[in-house]
Every structure is written in C-alpha cells, then in structure tokens.
C-alpha cells in the first residue's frame, strides 16, 4: 500500500484531507498552535507567505513583490533540523539571525506540521527539514554556517539524509533551487528544476542522499565535513550488507551476512528523532522496544532471535535472524483464485483450506506472544512471515509491541487492521486477527477505516465466493469487528449499484452533498493528488472531472459548481499543471463543453504562453492530451491558431522515441499519443497519422506480457497491470479505435483479443475508473462484450460501496477514505455505469462509443479539410 495516504487520513474520518486541518495532538502534547516566531509580524520591507507546510519570510523586491531580492535562482542552501521539543526555540533563533542580515528564509510554522514531516512514513528526502536559509553566495554561506552554527550548537534534530552536515549541530547544506522552476523528469512528470551550465532546466534531485550536481564544485570549507561523513561506513563491522529490504523515514532494513559465520542476518536501522509514531516515540525508542520484545520472546520460535545491537554514527542497529520465506501478503496475491475470470472449484476449495490453516497458525503464534505477556500491536499480512512450506507462521516487526500492562492503545497500525481507538491490550491483536479472516479472502479491510459496519457486508460476499468456508469462520470476524453487532448485509447499502435508476441517482446525490463551494483548495473531496495540482481543479482528481461525469451521464449541470470553477480560474492558481487530466487544458475542455468558451480560450492562452512544447508525451499531463484538446477546441471554437498548435504537438510527438518511455498505458504511456494521432487522422484524413498511431501502440504492446491467467497485461517489472490508466485495458480501448480504420491488422486484432480477459477477472483490488473495476466495466461495455460479463462487474461494484449521508459512494485510491473524483472515486464509477447502461452511452473524452459492428466498422470520414500544413506531418 502507498504510505503517503496515511497522513491524509488524520484530519477527517470520511475523506482524504490536508494535514493542516488536523485538530488534535501527538503523544499527549498540544501541537496545534503555531510557534511564537510564526505569530510575529514581519518588519517593514519584508513580507510573508504560506506555501504548503512552509512559512516564507523574505525582503520585498524592487517591484514591491515577495522575492529573493538579489539572491540567485539556485545555489547552496542551508537547512536547519529540529525536534518537536526545541523547534519553537530554533525558529526564534533563525528569525532573530536572518531578519537583521536581510537573509530570506522559511520554516515549518507549527509542531503539528513538523510532526507530520518527521513521522514514520513521511518522505525521506524532506525528513528533518525545519527551516531553510538562502545565502547570496559562498562567502555568506560560510558566514551563516559559522555564526548560526554557534548559536544553535547542541540543539538536537533528525539527520537530513539529502544534505551534508555542518559539524555536529542541526545545520546542513545542499545545492538546489532557490526560485520555483520546473521541468520534466524521465517519467514525464513535472518536478522542481535547476539550470545546468548549458542553460537547460534539469530535475533538482531531492533523494535521501547527498549528491550535488556533477557540474557543481564543493566549496573547500565543506570538504572536511564531507570527509567526516564518508568516514562513517560499515566496513569495520562483522556484517556485509547484501541488499536493502525496506526503507521508511525511521531507517532501513537490510539483508546481510555475518562474515564470522556466513549466516544470513537482518540489520534493522533506527534514526534518532525521526520516524515518529502516534505517541511521539522516535525510531530509536521503537527499536529499543522491539529488542526488548524479541528478547522476551526468545526461544519460542515465533519471532526472530536477537543477535547483536550496536550504534554506527548516530544510528542504532538491531541484528536479528534472517527468516526464510515471504510475507503473507505476497502469498495471497499469488494464490488467490478470484484473480481468474472463472475460478476453478477445486482451486477455491484448496485456497479455503489454506486460509484456514494459515489463520490457525497465526492465531497460535499470537497466543504464544500473549503467553509471554506481550501485545503484538501491529499485526497484518506484511508482518506475518510464511516459511517455504507455505503453512508455518512467524511474526515480524515488534516496534509496537509492549507488555500488556503498559499498553494504552495502538500507536502504529496498518489502516486495514487498526483497532478502534478505545481498544487496548490483547483486544488490539484479537481485532487484527478478526480482520485477517476477511483479508485472506477479500483483501479489502482498509474499508473498515471508513466504516466498520462494512465487515458484515464483506463477510457475506466472501461466503458467496467461497462455498466450502465454514460460516462460523466469518461470523467470528463480524462479531469482533462490529463489536458484537450483527447487522444484516442486505441493509448495509442504501441502494444496490446494479439498480439501473436508483444506483446512479444516489451516487449523484452523494457527490453533490459532499461539495464544499466555500473552500478554495477543492470543491469535491477526492484523491490526495488534488492538493498538489492547483486546487482541485482538474479532470482526474478535481472539480472539472466530476462536472464532466455529471453532464456526460445525463444528470445535468450543476450551476454552483460551474461558478466555483470559473471563480477559481480567474486567474488560475500559480503552479497549476498544464495537462489534460492534471491541469488547465482539461479544465478548458470542460468549460468549453459547458458553454464557457471565453474562459476556456483564456485558459488555453495561459497554457500556450508556457513552454508547453517541453511537456512529456502522455495523455495525463503531456502533449497527447494537450494536442487532443487543441484539435477539439479548434473545431468547437473556430480558432484556427489552436489547430496549428495541435499540428505542432503532433510533429513533436512524431519525432520522439515512444519505445524509450518508462511507462505504458493509455494515460502514462505511448497509447495516449496513438489516440491523438487517430483523432487527428479523423480530422485531416492524413494516413501517415495512422502509421504513427500503430508505431505508438506497438511500443506499449512491447511492454506487455501474459499474466498467470493468460491475459495480456503491462509488465512493470515487479507486477503486471491490467487497468485503464497504466495497464493493458487502456491500450485495448485504443486498439479498438485503430481497428475501426484498419480492421485487417492481425497483430492488433490478436492483441485486442488477448487483452479482453484482463477485464474479466472476478476480483480487482479497488473500484476506481483509472485503476480498478469501473475501468473494466467501461472497456467491456465499449468493446461490446457479452452482457453477462458487464452485469457481473456491475454487481461486484457493490463490494466496495459505502454509505455517505444515506446515499451510495465509493472509496478512492487505497480505499481508506471516500472519494468523489473521476479517476479514483464515485464520479468514475458513475461514468462506468453510464457507459454500460445508459440509453446514450457515456464515455471518456476523445474515446466516444465505437460505431456499430466495431472492430471493422467505419467512422465518419475526416471532419476537417486537409490543410497546407498536413504534408509536413509526414516528415515525422
């Protein structure tokens, strides 16, 4: 699971929410208020601004705006580290030092936000960074380090992994951007940028290691500090690290060899002051807990034995036995029979027996831990190891373990196994064991974070899918999870999603009831991505996509939502992405569709004023999506200049090597370019565009393999993906469109046929349109699949559904909170139902319903006369 989502669950029980709305405290301390320095008025000639979790303080520039004055756009910057206990004091020292000297700076304004930055699953690249100072040159850099270093000497703080430490204090340095500039990385994503000696913007790498750009010379006065850093190594230890197994903000876990005996061991690292848990304990405190727990469990055979305990640099290390086997979650993924379209009855029976054996073994292991007076505290399939015999269970990761008499509730927990806040002691583990009963059959227990009453619904679904399973096995899970309440599953949902009229109508009411037009950062709750794309505006995760789904499915327009979108694009927020699904281009498309053509053209003007030619190639945020929208808007508005830009986008894409891309699929791979070429062919009749479409499709098909069910899926190296956005089903949708024009392409006909089974599995992890079951419904309905296949998916959409204010709603990515957006949530599910059952089938932009009889049918011919520019397309 993606740990980034956990922090967005803290502030709201129903929707993903920004951490700055978190109302409570950590570890019993009130951390909600700002530091004293954050409450200070800025002096004359200075201004302050807030960006994300930073408070910026800078002198006013010559134009009267907030800026860096004569500061460079990039250079050596200074970071200051701090802990929750001393951050207020450190902020005051930094303020008092910088203001008289005219040094721009920023800092995290509250302990609450600092806690989130330093929590266990916060980003390692930004961990520990409490304040940032921007020196004018290397001379000022040295002066600040020497002077401020003395003022802050002795102040503790987490080690900043991306930086070089100055002496032993809380100051660190790194070369990077001062001003906000962006470029595309090798995946086509927009990232912070710096300028190389050739004047070209390149990614400003912010990984968890000190690596200045190759063209930047380290100032000589920093050389001793680099030498001191490099002097700390594992070479003197009796352990040889073989590979990293896992990283978190608290440290790493490594497989190693004991060079004295040749035995395999595990080294677990803890960084002081970093990786904070819910009780405020840092990684070192938790590793000390784990060591104490493992020593208490010594000889039981249900946990690794402790072999060593040492400190290297400031980091603490626990050495344990290496356990042969793999985590339980990987066996669930490999064995699960519902991944096949028609599960073999024998496979269902065999899997059922395996589930009963594994759960019984896990209960026995947990009982043994309880026998030693310990609470496991964080039990879930990632912390349960199965031996190679696939039956023997041992337990891992005892950071949350503690004696039962000291246990006051969970401080760390997987969201799908987290007990209610009032559970303490052994009942926390019993709750996790109850969740495990359902998770082994339907790995969807993160839904309990939204509503524990979902347990009875999932239990009934599991009983229907696994007929050999004793009902008592599931009844026990329901009893524990629901607190002895046994509501009937038939009453759980307010309406069945399969109800042709009431299902979609209820979803529309849920979407509208969730709206918050009084907020500026977003209109509808959705995925966490909406908080980084310019205020929840976009097609994928923001207001535009939801308004599109409402209109496309025939549920009408929502005037208040349109007003919000118009208000919040006049002007658009700084930093808003340019692309179709992630930014302004998609908003322009939607506004033009709704009749707001002047604003749509204004937004496209914003896009075209930027260096849009440097965008990536994809449909999500790159040139494919931009080109499609330009071509479309040129036709709807009559603006010929937009068409010229569409042709330019096409030429750029023709010159790019689609086979060199890192990703595949409709939204992130070459398939988006293929779709653009197809639609442009339909506008121009230029057959060269079909050749380019074929080339792009072949590039993505080359990244596909047959999965273990025999279906064609995108190979990501560590998993295969069938989904609409990044998997084979999205490729299949564009293959369908290509075959309309060239029905005799046997290569593509065969690929299309082999992709269809990827959309017919019995189980998918999530409901969403882009990465879940709703996307399969859309593809099957559009491709003319048998009605029974589509209906089965629609019925199974209810597996994920949850009530919201008495209406039908769906969870988003990671299924820990409800989402209303197009990509991950309720609006996407609504669109899929509209594609499958509406009188006029709904569709995604640029992917209208196929003509009757497709593949092999014929679309209407070119809608635009071939212009004089068209022959230049053939040069690609």
């Amino acid at each position: 699971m993606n740990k980034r989502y956990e922090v967005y669950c803290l502030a709201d029980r129903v929707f993903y929410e920004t951490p700055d709305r978190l109302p409570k405290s950590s570890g019993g301390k009130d951390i909600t208020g700002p530091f004293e320095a954050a409450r200070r008025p800025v002096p004359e000639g200075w201004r302050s601004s807030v960006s994300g979790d930073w408070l910026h303080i800078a002198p006013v520039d010559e134009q009267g705006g907030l800026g860096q004055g004569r500061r460079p756009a990039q250079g050596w910057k200074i970071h200051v580290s701090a802990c929750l206990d001393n951050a207020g004091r450190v902020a005051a020292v930094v303020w008092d030092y910088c203001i008289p000297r005219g040094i721009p700076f920023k800092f995290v304004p509250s302990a609450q936000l600092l806690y989130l930055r330093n929590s266990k699953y916060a980003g390692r690249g930004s961990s520990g960074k409490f304040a940032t100072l921007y020196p004018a040159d290397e001379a000022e850099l040295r002066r600040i380090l020497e002077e401020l270093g003395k003022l802050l000497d002795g102040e503790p703080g987490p080690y900043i992994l991306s930086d070089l430490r100055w002496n032993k204090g809380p100051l660190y340095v790194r070369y990077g951007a001062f001003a906000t500039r962006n470029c595309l990385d090798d995946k086509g994503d927009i990232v912070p940028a710096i300028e190389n000696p050739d004047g070209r913007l390149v990614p400003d790498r912010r990984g968890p290691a000190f690596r200045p750009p190759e063209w930047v010379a380290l100032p000589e006065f920093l050389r001793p500090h680099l030498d001191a850093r490099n002097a700390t190594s594992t070479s003197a230890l009796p352990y040889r690290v073989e590979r990293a197994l896992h990283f978190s903000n608290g440290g790493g876990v490594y497989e190693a060899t004991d060079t004295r005996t040749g035995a395999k061991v595990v080294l677990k690292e803890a960084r002081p002051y970093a990786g904070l848990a819910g009780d405020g304990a840092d990684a070192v405190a938790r590793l000390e807990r784990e060591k104490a727990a493992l020593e208490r469990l010594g000889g039981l055979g249900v946990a690794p034995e402790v072999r060593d305990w040492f400190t290297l640099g400031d980091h603490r290390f626990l050495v344990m036995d290496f356990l042969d086997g793999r985590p339980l979650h990987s066996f669930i993924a490999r064995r699960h029979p519902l991944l096949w379209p028609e599960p073999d009855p024998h496979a269902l029976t065999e899997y059922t027996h395996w589930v009963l054996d594994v759960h019984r073994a896990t209960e026995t292991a947990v009982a043994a831990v309880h026998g030693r007076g310990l609470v496991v505290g964080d039990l879930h399939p990632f912390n349960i190891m199965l031996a190679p015999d696939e039956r023997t269970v041992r337990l891992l990761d005892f950071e949350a373990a503690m004696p039962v008499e000291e246990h006051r509730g969970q401080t760390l927990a997987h969201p799908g196994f987290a007990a209610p806040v009032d559970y303490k002691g052994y009942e926390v583990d019993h709750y996790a064991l109850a969740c495990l009963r359902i998770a082994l059959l339907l790995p969807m227990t993160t839904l309990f974070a939204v509503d524990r009453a979902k347990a009875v619904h999932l239990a009934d679904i599991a009983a229907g899918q696994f007929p050999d399973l004793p009902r008592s096995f599931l009844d026990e899970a329901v009893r524990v999870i629901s607190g002895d309440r046994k509501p009937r599953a038939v009453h759980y949902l307010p309406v069945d999603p399969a109800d042709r009229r009431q299902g979609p109508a209820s979803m529309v009411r849920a979407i509208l009831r969730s709206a918050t037009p009084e907020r500026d950062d977003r209109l509808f709750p959705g995925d966490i991505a909406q908080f980084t794309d310019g205020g929840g505006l976009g097609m994928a995760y923001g207001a535009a996509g939801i308004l599109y789904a409402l209109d496309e499915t025939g549920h009408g327009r929502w005037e208040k939502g349109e007003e919000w979108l118009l208000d919040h694009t006049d002007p658009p927020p700084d930093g808003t992405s340019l692309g179709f699904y992630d930014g302004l281009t998609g908003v322009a498309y939607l506004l033009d569709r709704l009749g707001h053509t002047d604003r749509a053209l204004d937004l496209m003007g914003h896009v075209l004023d930027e260096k849009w030619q440097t965008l990536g190639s994809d449909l999500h945020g790159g040139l494919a999506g931009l080109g499609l929208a330009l071509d479309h808007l040129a036709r709807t508005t009559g603006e010929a200049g937009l068409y010229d830009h569409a042709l330019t986008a096409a030429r750029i894409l023709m010159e790019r090597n689609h086979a060199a891309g890192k990703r595949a699929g409709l939204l992130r791979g070459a398939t988006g370019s293929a779709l653009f070429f197809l639609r442009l062919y339909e506008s121009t009749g230029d057959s060269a565009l079909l050749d380019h479409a074929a080339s792009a499709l072949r590039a993505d098909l080359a990244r596909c393999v047959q999965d273990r069910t025999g279906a064609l899926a995108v190979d990501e190296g560590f998993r295969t993906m069938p989904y609409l956005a990044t998997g084979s089903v999205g490729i299949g949708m564009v293959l369908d469109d290509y075959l309309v024009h060239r029905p005799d392409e046997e290569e593509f006909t065969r690929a299309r046929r082999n992709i269809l089974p990827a959309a017919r599995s019995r189980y998918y992890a999530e409901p969403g349109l882009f990465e879940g079951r709703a996307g399969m419904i859309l593809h099957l309905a559009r491709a003319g699949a048998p009605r029974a296949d589509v209906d089965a998916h629609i019925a199974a959409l209810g597996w994920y559904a949850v009530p919201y204010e008495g209406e039908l709603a769906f969870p988003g990515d990671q299924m820990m909170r409800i989402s209303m957006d197009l990509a991950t949530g309720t609006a996407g599910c609504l669109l899929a139902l509209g594609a499958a059952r509406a009188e006029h089938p709904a569709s995604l932009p640029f992917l209208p319903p196929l003509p009757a009889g497709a593949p092999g049918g014929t679309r209407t011919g070119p809608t635009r006369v071939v212009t004089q520019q068209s022959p230049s397309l053939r040069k690609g």
Side-chain angles (χ1 to χ4, degrees), residues 152-175:
L152 293 176
D153 186 39
E155 293 287 3
Y159 196 100
I160 300 176
L161 298 172
S162 61
D163 290 25
L164 178 64
R165 190 176 192 178
W166 175 260
N167 292 327
K168 295 294 184 181
L171 300 189
Y172 297 77
V173 296
R174 185 182 80 84
Y175 189 95

Side-chain angles (χ1 to χ4, degrees), residues 715-736:
D715 182 8
E716 293 192 339
F718 64 101
R719 63 182 178 182
T720 56
M721 294 292 280
Y723 298 114
L724 185 148
T726 57
S728 56
V729 160
I731 302 172
M733 293 183 74
V734 180
L735 285 172
D736 286 342

Side-chain angles (χ1 to χ4, degrees), residues 243-260:
R243 62 187 177 113
L245 300 175
H246 173 70
F247 284 112
S248 75
N249 191 22
V253 181
Y254 310 90
E255 178 186 327
T257 299
D258 188 327
T259 56
R260 298 164 297 188

Side-chain angles (χ1 to χ4, degrees), residues 810-839:
F810 289 86
D813 196 359
Q814 309 300 305
M815 296 207 302
M816 292 187 281
R817 293 293 185 269
I818 291 173
S819 168
M820 298 300 177
D821 68 35
L822 180 69
T824 72
T826 307
C829 295
L830 177 69
L831 188 83
L833 292 178
R837 290 188 164 174
E839 182 178 349

